[in-house]
Amino acid sequence: MNNRGSKKPSFDLAIDLPDRASRQVGRDLHRQLRAAIVGGRLQPGLRLPASRELAAALGVSRNTVVAVYDLLLSEGYVSAHGRGGTIVSDFLSSRLRGSVSPTGPRRDPRLCPAWHTPALTPTGTPRDCRFDFSVGIPDCSEFPFDVWRRLTTRAIRAASRGHDWYGQPEGRPALREAIARHVSFARAIACAPEEIVVTAGAQQAFDLIARILVTPGETIVAVEEPGYAPLRNVLMAARAKLAPVPVDDEGIRVDRLPKGSRVIFVTPSHQFPLGVHLSLARRAALLEFARSHRAVVVEDDYDGEFRFAGRPLDALKTLDHGESVFYVGTFSKCLFPALRLGFVIAPAWARPALVAAKQFADWNAPLVTQDALAAFIAEGHLARHVRKMRRIYGERRDVLEHALARFCGDKVEVVGIGAGMHLAARLDDSAPAATLVQRAEVAGVALSSVRRFPGGGANANGLMLGYGVIESAQIPEAVRRLARLL
Amino acid sequence: MNNRGSKKPSFDLAIDLPDRASRQVGRDLHRQLRAAIVGGRLQPGLRLPASRELAAALGVSRNTVVAVYDLLLSEGYVSAHGRGGTIVSDFLSSRLRGSVSPTGPRRDPRLCPAWHTPALTPTGTPRDCRFDFSVGIPDCSEFPFDVWRRLTTRAIRAASRGHDWYGQPEGRPALREAIARHVSFARAIACAPEEIVVTAGAQQAFDLIARILVTPGETIVAVEEPGYAPLRNVLMAARAKLAPVPVDDEGIRVDRLPKGSRVIFVTPSHQFPLGVHLSLARRAALLEFARSHRAVVVEDDYDGEFRFAGRPLDALKTLDHGESVFYVGTFSKCLFPALRLGFVIAPAWARPALVAAKQFADWNAPLVTQDALAAFIAEGHLARHVRKMRRIYGERRDVLEHALARFCGDKVEVVGIGAGMHLAARLDDSAPAATLVQRAEVAGVALSSVRRFPGGGANANGLMLGYGVIESAQIPEAVRRLARLL
C-alpha cells in the first residue's frame, strides 16, 4: 500500500489503486474493500480507518472515501457507530466461510441418489487413424453450408424486424409444415403439422417421451439388445425398469417382450447397432402387442432417409392405426449434428403432455435455426442433399461390401447393409472383435466392436464399420489391412 | 390506406403507416397484417396482394413487404403457394384441431398421471394495445443484429471447415471462458470456466437442477410467493414438494422457510414479480440456513445486469463459501429470448451430475450459436449492449416513476425500481387490479395484475408495469390514461 500520509492506518489493507486520478478510483476502492470483507481479510468487528486517514494514506480525495464507506454501509458490509467509527459487519457467520463438503464431490447427499454416479457418454473426437470407420458421424463435407449461411442470415434479418421472441414450444408452424411434407415424401408418413413437436435432436425427443410415459420405479420399458447407450441413460435417469429384448436378423424379438412392457423403443429401419431392419411380420406383431397390451412404441428413425436396397419398409407410424406409435426423427444425420434439431410425431392423446414437457424443458427450440431449417426444407435443399448423400453413402457401402467379400471372404458375415451409414460384420469366435479392434488401430484402421454397445456382449462377436467419414477410395486398402489381421 | 400504385389491391387492408421512411415501417406493417389475420378481418384462404403490388400501394420498398411476408410465413399466419401467391392460413382451426378436451385424450392411461393435465404457459403474443407494459419482454430493436449476423456467418464458415459435430455437454470452452469473464465483470462473481454449464436458457437450467436435486415425492423445494409460474411447473413435473414462502420488502422471508427445505429458488437481484431486492441481512440468513440445513440455494439472476440505483448487491454466489449456491444466468433478457442460451455456475459437488443431465437432456447446445455468442462476448459487444440498454431502461424507469408520481400520486405505491425491466405498483383495496387491467386494456394500455402470478393473490393488490417494449415518449400518456381509471 502506498503510504503518502503522515499517519499510517493501524492495519494493512493491501489496497492497490493504480490510477488515483481516474474516475474509477472509487469503484476500485469499493471493490477491493468489499473483497477483503467478503474474503475474511477484514474481520467482523474491525474498525476501518477514519475517512480522512484513509484518504491521506491512499492519496485520494476524502469525498471518494466517504462515498465508498456510504456504499458499503448501504450494502450492509459495514455499520456506522457515530464517533465510534465504521465497523466491519458480522454479516456472515464465520463458520460459513470456507466450509467444504466433507463427503467428496459426487456422493454429496444433496444430490438425488440416482445422480451420484451418472453415466456420461464420452464426446466422440476424430480418431487419429488413417482409415476411420467411426459410427454415427455423417459426412458434412458435402453439406451446402453456403446455402445454410444465406438462410440463417435471412432468418436473423427477419427476426430483427419482428418481435416474437418466445416461440410456441411445439415449434414454428412453418417448420412443422415443412417437416410434415418432408416425412410424407421421404418416409411415406401422412401427418399434419399439428402432430409434430420440434425437439433439440433425437436425444431430447427420448427425454421428453420418457418424462411423460415413465412413472419412476414402475414403468417397464423394453429396449433393443444390443442397443444405444445414450437412450438407456435417459431411461435409467427417469427410473424406468429397463427390459432388454434380444435382436435377431429380423430385428427385435417381439415374442420376448415382457408382458408388462408399457413402452418399447425400437430402431426398425436400421437397427442400432446391428443394422438389420425389422421385418414386416415383426412390425405387425409389434403393433399388435402394443394394441393388445395398451403399450406405446417409440420408432427411432435416426438414419431412415439413407435406404439403398429397394423401397424402404413402411414406417411403424404409417402402419399404426391404434395411436400407439411415437415417431422420432433427427436432422443430425441428414444435415449436421451440431444443429441440434429433431422432431417427434406424437399420437393425439400425448400431444398436450409432450408440448408441455418441451416447454418445461427449454421453452422452445431457437427460432432463427428453426426458421433457417424451414426455408432449407421448403426450398428443396434437404431433399437434394439427402439424394446426394444417399448416392455417396450407397457407393461407399457397395465398395465396403465388395472389399469385405474380396479380402475377408467367409471370415466375416456382413449384416445391416440395407440402409444408413454403417454396417456390422459378424466374426466367428476364433477372432475376438475386441482384440481385432486394438490391432487394427495399430495398423491405422479405426473401428469398433459390437460389444462396445450395451447388450452387445450377449449377442454377437462382431465389428461395426461406419462409412460416414471414410471415403470410397480409402476403403479397399483399409479392408485389406483389416483382413491381414483375421 | 395510402394508395399510390396503379393497381389497387382487391380488398381493403386498412393499413396505416404513419412514417414510411422510418425503420419501424416493416414492424408496423407486420403487426397490422398479423392483427388483421388473428382478428379475422383477413379470412383463411384469402390471397394477399403480390409483394410488388402491396409495396406500390403502401409506398414502401418491395423488400420490406417481402420481409414481412417471410415473417408471417415463418409464424404460420400465411402459407406460400409458389405462383399461387401468399394465402392466409387456416391457423385458428388448425389450432383447434390440435387441442383436445381435458376430459378426453389427455387422461389416457398410457400417460404418467402427473402429465394428465399439464400446466402450459401461453406463449406471449404482442398485445394489440397502443401502450404495452408487457413484462419480461426485452427491447430487441437496439440489438446489433448486424454484428450477430456477421459472427453467426463466421461461426458457420468455421464449422464447415472443422469436424467437431457433437460437442461437450457442458458447452464450448471458449464460451464458458467468455461467460466466466462476463460474470466477473458484470456481477463480481469469481468463477472458473470449469464451473459453468451452458444451457438452453434459464428454463433448462431450472429443469436440470430439478432433475439432479429433486427425489420425486420427497424433496421439499421452497419457492418465492408470489413467483414465476414456469419454474413451479418444472418443479411440479419433477414431483417436488413445493413450499411457497412469502416475500416482503426485503425479499424472501427466510424465517418462514420450512426446516426441511432442501432446495430454495430465489430471485435476489430483482424479485420476480415484485421487483424488490433481497437485503444483505436476508442474504446472510439465507446462506446460513443453507449451511446449517445442508440445503441448496438456486439464484435466478434473470435481469441482474440492469441495475440502476447504486451498485448491485453482491450475488449470493459471491457471498457463498459453503458450495451451496447454483447461479443461473440467461442471455434471453440482455440479448434476445429467441436465442435460447443461458448458463449455470454450479458447486463442484454437483458438476458431474449436472453435465450428465445436460447430455441426457439434449446432448449439447447448438455449436454455431455457442461460437457466435462466445465471439460476441469476447469482442465486447455484450458489455456494450448491456451498457446501452441499462441507459435506455433506466430512462424509461425514471419517466415511468415520475409519471406515476405525477398522475397517480398516493393512489399507488411503487416498488422494485432498483433494477430490471419492470416495476410493481401497489394499489389500495378500493381499486382491484384485475378490474383495472381490463379497463386499461379498453383504454389502450396493456398491463398485468400481480395476482396473475402464482401466489400473487395472497400477497398484494398491484399492477405489473414492464418497460421492455414501451418507449419513453409513450409512457406519460399511458400513465395518464391509467390514472383516469383509478
Side-chain angles (χ1 to χ4, degrees):
Chain A
M1 173 174 151
N2 183 292
N3 189 346
R4 305 198 317 185
S6 54
K7 274 176 162 180
K8 200 176 190 309
S10 52
F11 53 91
D12 186 2
L13 289 171
I15 298 289
D16 175 32
L17 301 175
D19 182 5
R20 276 171 210 87
S22 140
R23 281 166 49 211
Q24 302 287 318
V25 68
R27 197 157 153 179
D28 287 346
L29 177 58
H30 171 257
R31 194 177 51 226
Q32 291 181 49
L33 280 175
R34 183 176 58 178
I37 295 170
V38 172
R41 274 189 292 125
L42 300 182
Q43 293 281 324
L46 188 77
R47 180 178 307 178
L48 293 182
S51 54
R52 194 185 308 272
E53 283 172 35
L54 186 61
L58 295 174
V60 300
S61 82
R62 192 183 162 208
N63 279 346
T64 299
V65 176
V66 169
V68 167
Y69 277 12
D70 278 352
L71 191 58
L72 290 170
L73 189 67
S74 73
E75 293 168 334
Y77 290 108
V78 298
S79 46
H81 292 267
R83 292 183 176 271
T86 304
I87 310 291
V88 175
S89 297
D90 188 13
F91 74 103
L92 287 180
S93 84
S94 54
R95 279 185 307 163
L96 193 53
R97 298 195 172 98
S99 81
V100 281
S101 154
T103 45
R106 293 194 186 198
R107 297 197 180 276
D108 192 287
R110 288 172 286 191
L111 281 179
C112 289
W115 289 92
H116 279 176
T117 50
L120 198 69
T121 307
T123 300
T125 45
R127 314 278 278 263
D128 214 11
C129 284
R130 190 169 150 204
F131 304 100
D132 188 352
F133 286 113
S134 284
V135 170
I137 313 284
D139 189 340
C140 302
S141 65
E142 300 288 338
F143 182 75
F145 279 104
D146 52 336
V147 173
W148 187 253
R149 258 197 330 264
R150 181 169 56 75
L151 296 178
T152 302
T153 300
R154 198 165 88 189
I156 295 174
R157 196 169 280 129
S160 71
R161 295 202 189 101
H163 30 217
D164 43 357
W165 298 109
Y166 287 94
Q168 295 168 326
E170 63 268 37
R172 291 289 232 191
L175 177 57
R176 286 183 288 123
E177 205 165 294
I179 291 174
R181 255 185 256 132
H182 169 67
V183 294
S184 82
F185 151 83
R187 300 296 286 114
I189 295 172
C191 78
E194 293 75 35
E195 296 172 61
I196 292 171
V197 176
V198 175
T199 62
Q203 185 69 25
Q204 188 179 52
F206 302 148
D207 183 54
L208 299 181
I209 292 170
R211 279 177 201 233
I212 65 169
L213 299 183
V214 174
T215 301
E218 281 182 27
T219 308
I220 298 176
V221 178
V223 293
E224 294 171 332
E225 175 102 335
Y228 180 58
L231 168 64
R232 294 193 183 198
N233 289 341
V234 166
L235 295 171
M236 283 188 289
R239 292 182 54 220
K241 289 169 112 169
L242 276 192
V245 176
V247 169
D248 66 15
D249 287 356
E250 288 190 63
I252 193 168
R253 289 278 303 271
V254 177
D255 59 317
R256 299 278 290 274
L257 283 170
K259 289 278 172 289
S261 305
R262 314 298 312 146
V263 189
I264 306 152
F265 279 86
V266 286
T267 49
S269 298
H270 192 226
Q271 202 272 331
F272 193 88
L274 296 181
V276 299
H277 66 257
L278 192 63
S279 69
L280 197 58
R282 290 272 174 88
R283 283 170 200 246
L286 182 58
L287 292 173
E288 177 56 30
F289 180 97
R291 196 199 55 75
S292 59
H293 293 79
R294 266 187 102 53
V296 167
V297 174
V298 183
E299 173 174 33
D300 172 11
D301 202 25
Y302 65 100
D303 63 4
E305 288 93 350
F306 303 122
R307 174 125 209 116
F308 314 119
R311 289 173 53 112
L313 285 174
D314 279 329
L316 290 171
K317 185 76 194 166
T318 306
L319 301 173
D320 175 36
H321 295 286
E323 290 266 282
S324 305
V325 176
F326 288 68
Y327 177 94
V328 175
T330 177
F331 296 104
S332 294
K333 308 300 180 208
C334 60
L335 290 175
F336 55 97
L339 183 68
R340 307 309 307 138
L341 282 179
F343 60 95
V344 183
I345 309 173
W349 54 267
R351 245 139 42 210
L354 194 67
V355 169
K358 171 66 180 169
Q359 185 180 71
F360 298 178
D362 63 6
W363 211 268
N364 60 258
L367 300 187
V368 164
T369 325
Q370 287 193 67
D371 290 347
L373 180 56
F376 191 83
I377 299 174
E379 293 183 4
H381 302 293
L382 176 62
R384 206 170 302 132
H385 183 60
V386 165
R387 273 199 303 275
K388 182 180 192 181
M389 295 315 296
R390 192 186 288 146
R391 191 171 43 69
I392 291 174
Y393 292 142
E395 182 192 301
R396 291 182 191 171
R397 194 236 14 192
D398 289 347
V399 173
L400 179 56
E401 194 187 357
H402 294 148
L404 285 167
R406 180 173 164 206
F407 297 118
C408 303
D410 54 7
K411 287 183 200 133
V412 303
E413 182 201 349
V414 175
V415 288
I417 58 168
M421 315 187 307
H422 76 266
L423 53 75
R426 285 193 189 129
L427 303 168
D428 62 42
D429 290 340
S430 68
T435 317
L436 204 57
V437 166
Q438 281 179 1
R439 293 173 58 206
E441 188 148 352
V442 176
V445 182
L447 34 67
S448 24
S449 158
V450 172
R451 293 220 162 97
R452 205 169 64 90
F453 297 85
N459 195 287
N461 182 34
L463 297 173
M464 301 276 299
L465 293 111
Y467 39 87
V469 181
I470 198 164
E471 295 194 7
S472 290
Q474 295 185 294
I475 292 176
E477 170 62 17
V479 174
R480 213 143 52 89
R481 292 186 182 205
L482 190 62
R484 272 192 230 118
L485 305 173
L486 280 168
Chain B
M1 174 174 153
N2 182 291
N3 189 347
R4 304 196 316 184
S6 54
K7 275 177 162 177
K8 200 178 189 311
S10 51
F11 52 90
D12 186 3
L13 289 171
I15 298 288
D16 174 33
L17 301 174
D19 182 5
R20 272 170 213 88
S22 139
R23 280 167 49 211
Q24 302 289 319
V25 68
R27 197 159 151 177
D28 288 345
L29 176 58
H30 171 255
R31 195 177 49 228
Q32 292 181 48
L33 279 176
R34 183 164 59 177
I37 295 169
V38 171
R41 272 189 294 126
L42 300 182
Q43 291 282 324
L46 187 77
R47 179 178 308 178
L48 294 182
S51 53
R52 195 183 307 271
E53 284 171 34
L54 186 61
L58 296 173
V60 300
S61 83
R62 190 179 165 213
N63 280 346
T64 300
V65 176
V66 168
V68 167
Y69 278 12
D70 276 354
L71 192 58
L72 291 170
L73 188 67
S74 73
E75 294 167 335
Y77 292 108
V78 299
S79 46
H81 291 266
R83 291 181 178 273
T86 304
I87 311 289
V88 175
S89 295
D90 191 10
F91 78 102
L92 193 63
S93 67
S94 71
R95 214 176 270 175
L96 288 178
R97 275 202 299 279
S99 75
V100 276
S101 84
T103 50
R106 289 189 192 206
R107 296 195 183 280
D108 191 288
R110 289 172 284 190
L111 282 179
C112 291
W115 289 92
H116 280 176
T117 49
L120 197 68
T121 307
T123 299
T125 45
R127 314 276 279 263
D128 214 12
C129 284
R130 190 166 152 207
F131 303 98
D132 188 352
F133 286 112
S134 285
V135 170
I137 312 285
D139 188 340
C140 302
S141 66
E142 299 289 337
F143 183 73
F145 280 103
D146 51 338
V147 173
W148 187 254
R149 258 197 331 263
R150 181 168 57 76
L151 296 178
T152 301
T153 300
R154 200 165 86 190
I156 295 175
R157 196 169 280 129
S160 71
R161 294 200 193 101
H163 19 225
D164 43 357
W165 299 109
Y166 288 94
Q168 296 167 325
E170 63 267 37
R172 292 287 232 193
L175 177 57
R176 286 182 288 123
E177 206 164 291
I179 292 173
R181 251 184 263 130
H182 169 67
V183 295
S184 83
F185 153 81
R187 301 295 286 115
I189 295 173
C191 78
E194 295 74 39
E195 296 173 61
I196 291 171
V197 176
V198 175
T199 61
Q203 185 69 24
Q204 188 180 52
F206 301 147
D207 183 54
L208 299 181
I209 291 169
R211 280 177 200 232
I212 65 170
L213 299 183
V214 174
T215 301
E218 282 182 27
T219 308
I220 298 177
V221 178
V223 292
E224 294 171 332
E225 174 103 335
Y228 180 59
L231 167 65
R232 294 193 182 196
N233 290 341
V234 166
L235 295 171
M236 283 188 289
R239 291 182 53 217
K241 290 169 112 167
L242 277 192
V245 175
V247 168
D248 66 14
D249 288 355
E250 288 191 61
I252 193 169
R253 288 279 304 269
V254 177
D255 59 316
R256 298 279 289 273
L257 283 170
K259 290 276 171 288
S261 306
R262 315 297 312 144
V263 189
I264 306 151
F265 280 86
V266 286
T267 48
S269 299
H270 192 227
Q271 202 272 331
F272 193 89
L274 295 181
V276 298
H277 66 257
L278 191 63
S279 69
L280 194 62
R282 290 272 174 88
R283 283 169 199 246
L286 182 59
L287 292 174
E288 176 58 30
F289 180 98
R291 193 201 59 75
S292 58
H293 293 79
R294 269 187 102 51
V296 167
V297 174
V298 183
E299 172 172 35
D300 172 11
D301 202 25
Y302 65 101
D303 64 3
E305 287 93 351
F306 303 122
R307 176 130 205 111
F308 314 119
R311 292 199 183 72
L313 285 175
D314 279 325
L316 289 171
K317 186 75 193 166
T318 306
L319 301 173
D320 174 36
H321 294 283
E323 291 266 284
S324 305
V325 176
F326 288 67
Y327 177 93
V328 175
T330 177
F331 295 104
S332 295
K333 308 300 179 210
C334 60
L335 289 175
F336 54 98
L339 183 67
R340 307 308 308 137
L341 283 180
F343 60 94
V344 182
I345 308 174
W349 55 268
R351 244 135 47 207
L354 194 67
V355 170
K358 171 67 181 168
Q359 185 180 70
F360 299 178
D362 63 5
W363 211 270
N364 59 257
L367 300 187
V368 164
T369 325
Q370 286 193 67
D371 292 347
L373 180 56
F376 191 83
I377 299 174
E379 292 182 5
H381 303 293
L382 176 62
R384 206 169 303 132
H385 183 61
V386 165
R387 272 199 304 274
K388 183 179 191 179
M389 295 316 296
R390 193 185 288 146
R391 192 171 43 69
I392 291 174
Y393 292 142
E395 182 193 303
R396 291 183 192 171
R397 194 239 11 195
D398 289 347
V399 172
L400 179 56
E401 195 188 355
H402 293 148
L404 286 168
R406 181 172 161 205
F407 297 118
C408 303
D410 53 7
K411 287 183 200 132
V412 304
E413 182 199 351
V414 175
V415 287
I417 57 168
M421 315 186 309
H422 75 265
L423 52 77
R426 284 192 189 128
L427 304 167
D428 62 43
D429 289 340
S430 66
T435 318
L436 204 56
V437 166
Q438 281 178 1
R439 292 174 57 208
E441 188 149 349
V442 175
V445 182
L447 34 67
S448 22
S449 157
V450 172
R451 293 220 161 96
R452 206 170 63 91
F453 298 85
N459 195 288
N461 181 34
L463 297 173
M464 302 275 302
L465 293 111
Y467 39 87
V469 181
I470 197 165
E471 296 193 6
S472 289
Q474 294 185 294
I475 291 175
E477 170 61 18
V479 174
R480 213 144 52 90
R481 292 186 182 204
L482 189 63
R484 269 191 232 118
L485 305 173
L486 280 170

